[in-house]
Amino acid sequence: MRPTDRLGTLIQALRCLPGVGPKTAQRMAFHLLLRDREGAAALAGALQGAIQHIGHCLECRTLTEGELCEACADPKRDSSQLCVVENPAETFAIEQSTGYKGRFFVLNGRLSPLDGIGPDELGLDLLEAKLKSGTVQELILATNTTIEGEATAHYIGEMARHFRVRATRIAYGVPFGGELEYVDGTTLAHAFNGRQNL
Amino acid sequence: MPEYWRAGFQDGYVVHRRSYRETSLLVDVFSREQGMVRLLAKGASRGRSSKAGLLQPFAALALAWRGRGDLPVLREVEPLRRHNLAGSAVLCGLYLNELLVRLLPAGDAHPALFAAYGETLDRLVQGGGQEPVLRGFELLLLEQLGYAPPLEQEGDSGAPVLADGYYEYRPEHGPVPCAPHPQAFRGATLLALSARRLADGEQLREAKRMMRLVIGHALGGKPLKSRELFKYVKFEGN
């Protein structure tokens, strides 16, 4: 059976999702058309609405429907602390598990020169303007502990130093419940070198 | 001889990686015996795969791959040694990697450059002046590619470069004597660069400016993205 044009277009369109290859896309398309047409309509509507109405927050660049995201619009939050993360999902993770009540700045990526991603692509001019304004007392760098995440943290850390803002980096080391024997060497070395007084 | 050699392993460094299809990675490797090679690491970005963790930049790896065609498939990878770059050394490392990817043609072996790459990473870890280390690697890379800039002789006449002379640098020719002006290079800088003995901040700045000219010419116009990372970095000695 050859997929008709519209079916082929749908399968091709589903492949834009991460982790979805031709086989999975075909399975998804058949499922939506044969078993769950209501769900398919709801999905189409939700996608359309999201594309039209969700943009980047003017303050922190996270995804939001209004001009400002909920966190940036909340006057009770502490503007003197600004936490830099790579992705919007990480703001939720940090908030839920740490009780952090400061503000966020979302890079939507990380510095990676070989992928053509430099400071401008990450909206760091906006962050620069925030640091310049003088309201931020502490800049918390919560980028990932990959090479690119470290490079990003260092770049932004130097930027903070330039504007005389204190920059801190989240600690990393042995995970909770982790056994030293099975922790990889780099992490263990980092944890060992970063030991603290009891 | 280490055990892994017998099994068809080669030494190499990951210089760049990006995801490919659903769970695989395309990995650019700078290897000792075959230079730059692009490998397909199947299933490497799947959840808990140990390969994704190992295939990181700045770690000496033993790699074994299959196939010689368009896209050889990575079979096995073993960690040898990590260079624990931190702070601005990471930015320098990313700069080295961009130089390699942009300038080294695939498949050309450069064992001397490979050895120098590891040593350069070590020197970046040790700290101290990063700039002379970067200039040294740039010069060796250009030498290996046949773009080495003449530094001790004038470009056209072949007359020796004089320490107290002033020179303009023309990529196709080399140093050409000129009257002193702010953009001219001092002969002493060219000689110090050639001898890998850059001294003061002024010499370092001039040497950087000159290597930018030479590398820019070798790259053919499109600037290096990693230069943007150094906006706020203050090098020691500057």
Side-chain angles (χ1 to χ4, degrees), chain A residues 74-97:
Chain A
D74 181 356
K76 289 202 288 289
R77 282 186 167 264
D78 181 0
S79 295
S80 69
Q81 283 185 316
L82 186 64
C83 177
V84 180
V85 294
E86 290 184 19
N87 298 305
E90 288 153 5
T91 63
F92 298 114
I94 289 179
E95 209 155 69
Q96 276 174 7
S97 41

Side-chain angles (χ1 to χ4, degrees), chain B residues 92 120 123-124 127-139 192-193 196-200 203-205 207-208 211 235-238:
Chain B
C92 294
T120 303
R123 291 178 65 190
L124 290 174
Q130 290 170 337
E131 288 203 83
V133 176
L134 294 181
R135 298 295 91 79
F137 186 80
E138 289 166 348
L139 268 181
L193 183 60
R196 269 84 161 162
R197 260 200 297 262
L198 292 165
D200 54 40
Q203 270 192 1
L204 287 172
R205 272 191 293 277
K208 183 199 290 192
M211 291 309 286
F235 284 113
E236 294 151 61
N238 253 10

Side-chain angles (χ1 to χ4, degrees), chain B residues 48-141:
Chain B
R48 299 192 150 266
S49 163
S50 60
K51 270 189 196 162
L54 288 177
L55 293 170
Q56 296 280 347
F58 315 132
L61 304 169
L63 304 132
W65 61 85
R66 226 187 355 244
R68 296 189 155 266
D70 282 346
L71 195 53
V73 177
L74 179 71
R75 211 156 44 78
E76 273 183 84
V77 53
E78 305 247 351
L80 295 179
R81 192 162 80 86
R82 259 205 87 72
H83 304 265
N84 287 312
L85 302 193
S88 58
V90 178
L91 307 184
C92 294
L94 291 176
Y95 171 71
L96 296 182
N97 286 356
E98 191 179 10
L99 277 182
L100 288 177
V101 169
R102 293 281 306 276
L103 286 173
L104 265 195
D108 283 1
H110 292 281
L113 190 65
F114 183 85
Y117 179 75
E119 283 161 25
T120 303
L121 292 180
D122 275 338
R123 291 178 65 190
L124 290 174
V125 171
Q126 283 158 17
Q130 290 170 337
E131 288 203 83
V133 176
L134 294 181
R135 298 295 91 79
F137 186 80
E138 289 166 348
L139 268 181
L140 183 69
L141 175 60

Side-chain angles (χ1 to χ4, degrees), chain B residues 36 46 73 79 119 145 147 195 222:
Chain B
M36 293 296 282
R46 187 181 290 142
V73 177
E119 283 161 25
L145 292 171
Y147 294 128
K222 195 181 162 217

